[in-house]
């Protein structure tokens, strides 16, 4: 029996070892370092990846062994588009794009199958006439968690005291369900709107943040909700308890019909980050179910501080992920990110905007599909810049918003002139959250895997096998495409390629 038990353990360990593997695509001579791309996901059994090289638009179709089956040119697109977003379903995907013709901006949608071929013709979702000096980045697209509702919206901010919000809600067949024009008062000079979400009932929500001056902490916060089919927006002030918020994030809890509002906070306008603020907003009562400001203790600060002092340990942390649990609790992951240059070190107070959503001249433009660190420092041209991404802090909250546990995953990354190879991707396997990132080992950048359990236990997993030399992973651009599978972009001899990692 002992021999049989030992054999079973050995067999399970071998099966587990064989489960982890990396499969690379062949570099395509048409794809250079400068190629814009987006990993759309798994559609119809294939992996679809959008590519744009000097306004040559194409979808690359890969099989599950990462062999390119076809490169489909998107000939239906105009010569130049403003932007592109994608939403994947099991058997098809949508491409949402904008383009300008004369003084009109068109918001378009095209449906494509798993072979990258267009189904039917592109449809016009909306149009806007603009002035000569106006920004043409007008429309934003969001979707509900179950992908049954798609929201298209734009905000006209020409009148600084009264913004005009236009929302259009579509079902997954792109049939319009609702269109409303909503006036939103912006009485304070430095008000702005941020973090737009849509829930599984088609209801639209966002927050209005009030700053005392540009690039400052948030002094007041208002929560707005618009129900599907209604032109009325319900606005309520959110209790802050005399603290100042940083970047505010909103997440829909569709299981319990809540909205989770979260932010780092400080006790003064430009003070050190003191802790995490959470508000659980109940949809049925249109009021806060709980409001809690959790202050970081010294032990957590010591674990997270990296190159900072204990007092300023969280000054460079930004919220990256917010994951809702069915029991009403949630997990939050934040990463330390900052840049250094000839002029010194740059943190959250040195960036152009206090919010990750850009605020151009006439309209807002926001995309949850895009990649990249959202804070862009002003006027870095001509400077030698080093980008740094350090520790990851993970926090677990119960259904009342009370923190259950916290832990820190240690890492120290940097790169010069680009942030493409630093940062992390997260793979949710159900039993664990895997954080995948590059780490310097013997002059090589190797992809590492650290995981955290539902009880907060951190595991440093062995170095990933099958990592071929010469492939540089752009870890933070990874996209999960299966229960234990993620696609990463890589650079190989300055050519863009892709890798599938199975855990």
């Amino acid at each position: 029996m002992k021999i049989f038990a030992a054999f079973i353990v050995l067999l399970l360990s071998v099966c587990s070892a064989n489960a982890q593997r990396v499969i690379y695509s062949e570099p395509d001579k048409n794809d250079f370092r400068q190629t814009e791309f987006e990993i759309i996901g798994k559609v119809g059994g294939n992996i679809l990846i959008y590519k744009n090289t000097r306004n040559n638009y194409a979808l690359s179709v890969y099989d599950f062994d990462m062999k390119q089956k076809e490169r489909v040119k998107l000939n239906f697109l105009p010569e130049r588009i403003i932007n592109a977003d994608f939403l994947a379903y099991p058997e098809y995907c949508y491409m949402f794009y904008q383009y300008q013709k004369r003084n009109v901006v068109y918001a378009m949608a095209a449906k494509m199958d798993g072979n990258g071929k267009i189904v039917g013709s592109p449809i016009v979702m909306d149009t806007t006439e603009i002035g000569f000096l106006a920004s043409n980045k007008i429309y934003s697209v969001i979707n509900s968690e179950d992908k049954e509702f798609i929201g298209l919206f734009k905000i006209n901010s020409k009148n600084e005291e009264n913004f005009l919000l236009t929302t259009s809600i579509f079902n997954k067949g792109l049939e319009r369900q609702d269109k409303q024009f909503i006036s939103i008062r912006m009485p304070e000079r430095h008000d702005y709107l941020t973090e737009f979400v849509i829930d599984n009932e088609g209801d639209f929500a966002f927050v209005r943040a009030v700053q005392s001056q540009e690039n400052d902490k948030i002094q007041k916060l208002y929560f707005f909700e618009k129900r599907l089919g209604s032109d009325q927006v319900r606005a309520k002030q959110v209790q802050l308890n005399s603290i100042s918020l940083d970047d505010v994030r909103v997440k829909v809890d569709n299981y319990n019909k809540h909205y989770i509002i979260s932010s780092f906070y400080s006790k003064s306008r430009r003070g050190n980050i003191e802790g995490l603020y959470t508000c659980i907003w109940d949809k049925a009562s249109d009021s806060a179910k709980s409001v809690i400001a959790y202050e970081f203790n010294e032990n957590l600060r010591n674990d997270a501080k990296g190159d900072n002092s204990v007092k300023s340990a969280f000054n460079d942390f930004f919220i990256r992920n917010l994951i809702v649990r069915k029991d009403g609790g949630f997990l939050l992951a934040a990463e330390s990110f900052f840049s250094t240059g000839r002029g010194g070190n740059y943190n959250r107070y040195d960036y152009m905007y206090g919010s990750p959503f850009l605020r151009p001249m006439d309209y807002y433009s926001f995309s949850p599909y895009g990649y990249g660190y959202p804070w862009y420092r002003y006027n870095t041209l001509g400077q030698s810049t080093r980008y740094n991404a350090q520790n990851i802090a993970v926090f677990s909250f119960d259904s009342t918003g009370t923190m259950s546990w916290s832990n820190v995953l240690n890492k120290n990354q940097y790169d010069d002139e680009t942030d493409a190879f630093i940062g992390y991707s997260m793979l949710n396997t159900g039993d664990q959250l895997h954080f995948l990132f590059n780490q310097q080992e013997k002059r090589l950048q190797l992809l590492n895997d650290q995981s955290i359990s539902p009880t907060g236990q951190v595991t440093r997993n062995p170095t990933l096998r099958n990592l071929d030399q010469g492939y540089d992973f752009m870890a933070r651009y990874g996209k999960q495409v299966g229960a234990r599978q993620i696609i990463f972009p890589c650079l190989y001899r300055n050519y863009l390629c892709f890798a599938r990692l199975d855990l």
Side-chain angles (χ1 to χ4, degrees), residues 270-281:
R270 284 189 166 243
N272 292 320
I273 296 297
E274 300 286 350
L276 267 171
Y277 167 90
T278 62
C279 171
I280 299 178
W281 193 271

Side-chain angles (χ1 to χ4, degrees), residues 163-435:
F163 286 7
L164 181 61
L165 169 66
T166 304
T167 63
S168 296
I169 309 298
F170 298 82
N171 63 19
K172 69 176 183 180
L174 291 186
E175 298 167 321
R176 193 194 304 273
Q177 307 296 295
D178 179 35
K179 183 173 183 177
Q180 303 292 344
F181 303 92
I182 302 161
S183 177
I184 305 211
R185 289 189 63 251
M186 306 289 281
E188 306 291 339
R189 181 179 177 186
H190 298 292
D191 287 11
Y192 64 94
L193 306 180
T194 184
E195 194 73 17
F196 303 88
V197 295
I198 185 171
D199 68 14
N200 286 352
E201 295 178 336
D203 297 336
F204 191 84
F206 56 95
V207 294
R208 174 166 69 89
V210 179
Q211 299 170 311
S212 59
Q213 60 187 41
E214 187 75 26
N215 192 24
D216 206 350
K217 287 286 197 299
I218 295 166
Q219 309 300 311
K220 296 179 184 177
L221 193 68
Y222 297 85
F223 181 76
F224 289 74
E225 185 189 22
K226 190 200 79 66
R227 298 291 175 94
L228 182 67
S230 172
D231 62 353
Q232 301 298 313
V233 175
R234 298 189 291 183
K236 292 285 186 69
Q237 185 168 357
V238 182
Q239 182 182 353
L240 298 189
N241 297 328
S242 301
I243 60 175
S244 299
L245 301 188
D246 192 69
D247 174 54
V248 175
R249 306 304 306 271
V250 180
K251 182 77 172 182
V252 180
D253 177 0
N254 287 295
Y255 303 112
N256 302 285
K257 299 189 185 303
H258 294 156
Y259 296 99
I260 298 168
I261 304 169
S262 188
S263 172
F264 286 108
Y265 77 86
S266 57
K267 293 179 180 177
S268 60
R269 289 196 302 110
R270 284 189 166 243
N272 292 320
I273 296 297
E274 300 286 350
L276 267 171
Y277 167 90
T278 62
C279 171
I280 299 178
W281 193 271
D282 181 60
K283 185 175 176 179
S285 64
D286 194 25
S287 63
K289 178 185 175 184
S290 71
V291 175
I292 296 177
Y294 174 83
E295 187 169 350
F296 299 138
N297 59 40
E298 190 167 342
N299 289 336
L300 179 58
R301 290 179 175 277
N302 271 311
D303 291 341
K305 67 179 184 178
D307 294 337
N308 286 343
S309 66
V310 174
K311 286 186 177 181
S312 62
F314 281 90
N315 283 9
D316 297 321
F317 275 81
F318 298 97
I319 296 172
R320 291 280 314 277
N321 308 99
L322 211 162
I323 304 161
V324 175
R325 298 195 304 262
K326 290 185 179 180
D327 64 1
F330 57 97
L331 289 168
L332 187 149
E335 184 185 27
S336 172
F337 175 76
F338 61 95
S339 57
T340 57
R342 293 175 183 172
N345 295 355
Y346 306 106
N347 59 30
R348 66 193 340 111
Y349 296 117
D350 298 300
Y351 297 98
M352 187 184 299
Y353 301 117
S355 165
F357 309 109
L358 306 183
R359 285 178 276 167
M361 183 184 303
D362 293 318
Y363 297 89
Y364 284 48
S365 180
F366 156 65
S367 170
Y369 308 103
Y371 295 102
Y373 288 103
W375 287 268
Y376 297 96
R377 209 180 70 77
Y378 180 72
N379 193 22
T380 56
L381 296 176
Q383 293 189 12
S384 176
T385 303
R386 170 164 290 185
Y387 297 94
N388 301 266
Q390 296 188 350
N391 296 335
I392 304 167
V394 184
F395 308 91
S396 176
F397 299 86
D398 65 18
S399 59
T400 67
T402 303
M403 189 175 293
S404 307
W405 54 259
S406 61
N407 214 330
V408 175
L409 288 74
N410 297 115
K411 68 179 180 71
N412 190 357
Q413 302 170 288
Y414 66 87
D415 206 349
D416 294 324
E417 309 306 331
T418 178
D419 59 7
F421 302 99
I422 63 174
Y424 70 88
S425 279
M426 189 179 68
L427 179 68
N428 187 349
T429 58
D431 58 337
Q432 294 186 89
L433 293 178
H434 291 261
F435 293 84

